[in-house]
């Protein structure tokens, strides 16, 4: 841009700005802006660009880059044409050198930028390849996960259907169980049964009645049925009829029906004999 505008730039490394109004020019063919030249040359008479000693009287010159017309008329007035041409040729050589250095600087910057760009391209190519590999791996994992999810959903649906079927079976069994339980309950068992009067168990208030048949022989007394009766109760009995106590309940413990067999007259006469035994009182 400076070459197109025919403007020189400051040769200080950290400046590099265009020279417009004033500039410092050295005998080593370097130029600096007014700010950088004033600051550096006040410290030491050394070129900030190439560190050349500038101790001569005309080694450092401060120029006005936009001189007045009177200055242009008087600066070379009275000089021979050979001197004027020599001064002009040296000035043009200085400007050509500065332009060439600026071109080299831009080429150096361009090459450096290219190297940096190539490094960045290589880095980002590796990064893109890595990311593409990761994306491919993630896609494969996603596909496998989707397949697993589909299989899991299918198993879930199957288990859900089995659960619903088991629930229906359970409800049916529960209904059957409740129905059978209601049928097995006797409504009469739920009603309160009045308590029966207690039967005295004292030996002084009861007696034993052996009840049996002739088929038991001599063991009639030991194996006969025992009827426990309360004391002072009237007993009504007859042949081939159960014993009943008026006004009170009784306990009857019958033995199995005897087996029929041939009887003698003696056994037949004593078959329906009722023996009354009075309990011993203490």
């Amino acid at each position: 841009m400076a070459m197109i505008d025919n403007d020189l730039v400051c040769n200080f490394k950290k400046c590099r700005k265009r020279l417009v109004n004033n500039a410092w020019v050295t005998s080593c063919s370097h130029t600096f802006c007014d700010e950088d030249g004033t600051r550096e040359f006040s410290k030491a008479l050394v070129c900030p660009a190439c560190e050349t000693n500038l101790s001569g009287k005309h080694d450092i010159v401060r120029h006005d880059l936009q001189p007045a017309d009177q200055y242009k008329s008087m600066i070379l007035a009275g000089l021979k044409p050979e001197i004027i041409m020599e001064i002009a040729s040296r000035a043009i050589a200085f400007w050509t050198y500065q332009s060439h250095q600026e071109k080299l600087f831009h080429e150096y910057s361009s090459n450096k930028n290219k190297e940096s760009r190539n490094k960045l391209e290589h880095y980002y190519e590796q990064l893109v390849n890595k990311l593409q590999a990761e994306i491919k791996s993630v896609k494969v994992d996603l596909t496998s996960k989707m397949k697993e999810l589909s299989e899991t959903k299918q198993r879930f649906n199957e288990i859900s259907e089995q659960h619903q079927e088991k629930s229906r079976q359970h409800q049916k069994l529960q209904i059957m169980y409740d129905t059978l339980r209601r049928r097995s309950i006797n409504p009469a068992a739920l009603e309160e049964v009045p308590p029966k009067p207690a039967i005295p168990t004292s030996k002084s208030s009861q007696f034993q009645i052996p009840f049996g048949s002739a088929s038991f022989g001599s063991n009639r007394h030991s194996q006969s049925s025992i009827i426990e009766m309360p004391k002072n109760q009237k007993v009504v009995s007859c042949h081939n009829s159960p014993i009943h106590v008026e006004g009170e309940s009784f306990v009857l413990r019958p033995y199995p029906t005897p087996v029929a067999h041939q009887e003698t007259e003696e056994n037949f006469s004593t078959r329906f004999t009722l023996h009354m035994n009075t309990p011993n009182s203490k």
Side-chain angles (χ1 to χ4, degrees):
M1 186 181 294
M3 293 178 62
I4 296 175
D5 297 337
N6 294 325
D7 291 334
L8 300 180
V9 296
C10 178
N11 297 151
F12 194 72
K13 296 179 181 179
K14 296 181 179 180
C15 184
R16 303 296 301 173
K17 70 179 180 180
R18 296 171 58 187
L19 301 178
V20 179
N21 295 321
N22 298 311
W24 291 83
V25 179
T26 63
S27 59
C28 58
S29 301
H30 292 107
T31 181
F32 303 95
C33 64
D34 192 26
E35 292 81 4
D36 292 333
T38 303
R39 184 183 67 252
E40 295 297 329
F41 293 136
S42 64
K43 295 179 182 179
L45 299 177
V46 178
C47 179
C50 62
E51 298 181 356
T52 302
N53 188 9
L54 303 173
S55 59
K57 182 179 180 180
H58 299 288
D59 289 340
I60 301 173
V61 179
R62 184 176 182 271
H63 284 299
D64 186 3
L65 300 180
Q66 295 180 358
D69 292 338
Q70 186 178 3
Y71 177 80
K72 294 177 183 178
S73 300
M74 298 301 296
I75 189 64
L76 297 177
L79 299 178
K80 294 181 179 181
E82 295 84 2
I83 297 173
I84 294 173
M85 292 301 294
E86 185 179 357
I87 293 172
S89 63
R90 291 185 179 183
I92 292 173
F94 180 84
W95 188 89
T96 303
Y97 173 77
Q98 285 292 320
S99 299
H100 179 69
Q101 291 297 321
E102 187 66 19
K103 180 181 179 181
L104 293 177
F105 176 79
H106 283 291
E107 288 179 356
Y108 170 77
S109 299
S110 177
N111 293 331
K112 192 173 182 179
N113 291 332
K114 286 180 180 179
E115 291 178 359
S116 177
R117 184 196 64 186
N118 293 333
K119 290 181 180 179
L120 290 175
E121 286 180 356
H122 181 67
Y123 170 75
Y124 283 111
E125 283 179 0
Q126 292 181 349
L127 183 61
V128 168
N129 293 332
K130 183 179 179 180
L131 292 176
Q132 287 179 351
E134 292 180 356
I135 291 173
K136 185 177 180 181
S137 176
V138 170
K139 286 183 178 179
V140 173
D141 293 340
L142 180 62
T143 303
S144 61
K145 295 299 181 183
M146 291 295 291
K147 184 177 180 180
E148 292 179 1
L149 179 61
S150 178
E151 293 177 355
T152 304
K153 286 183 178 180
Q154 185 177 0
R155 290 198 300 269
F156 174 77
N157 293 331
E158 293 176 357
I159 294 173
S160 178
E161 292 177 358
Q162 293 177 2
H163 175 70
Q164 293 178 358
E165 182 65 23
K166 296 295 183 181
S167 299
R168 289 192 292 268
Q169 294 179 1
H170 174 73
Q171 292 178 358
K172 291 180 180 179
L173 292 175
Q174 187 67 32
I175 294 172
M176 294 172 64
Y177 170 76
D178 294 338
T179 303
L180 293 175
R181 187 178 63 176
R182 286 194 296 269
R183 290 179 180 178
S184 63
I185 296 176
N186 186 7
L190 299 177
E191 300 178 357
E192 295 185 358
V193 180
K196 296 180 179 181
I199 299 175
T201 58
S202 176
K203 292 183 178 180
S204 60
S205 61
Q206 64 182 0
F207 61 91
Q208 297 178 353
I209 303 176
F211 182 75
S213 61
S215 62
F216 290 93
S218 61
N219 295 330
R220 180 176 54 188
H221 296 284
S222 61
Q223 298 179 354
S224 61
S225 299
I226 306 300
I227 300 177
E228 298 178 357
M229 303 293 293
K231 188 178 180 181
N232 299 326
Q233 295 295 332
K234 183 177 181 180
V235 179
V236 178
S237 63
C238 63
H239 293 289
N240 297 330
S241 63
I243 299 174
H244 176 69
V245 181
E246 294 182 355
E248 293 292 337
S249 61
F250 64 89
V251 179
L252 177 63
R253 298 189 182 92
Y255 278 94
T257 305
V259 180
H261 59 280
Q262 189 174 3
E263 298 179 349
T264 60
E265 294 180 358
E266 182 180 357
N267 292 335
F268 183 79
S269 61
T270 60
R271 180 175 180 181
F272 297 100
T273 303
L274 181 62
H275 298 275
M276 304 294 290
N277 294 327
T278 302
N280 297 327
S281 60
K282 294 183 178 181

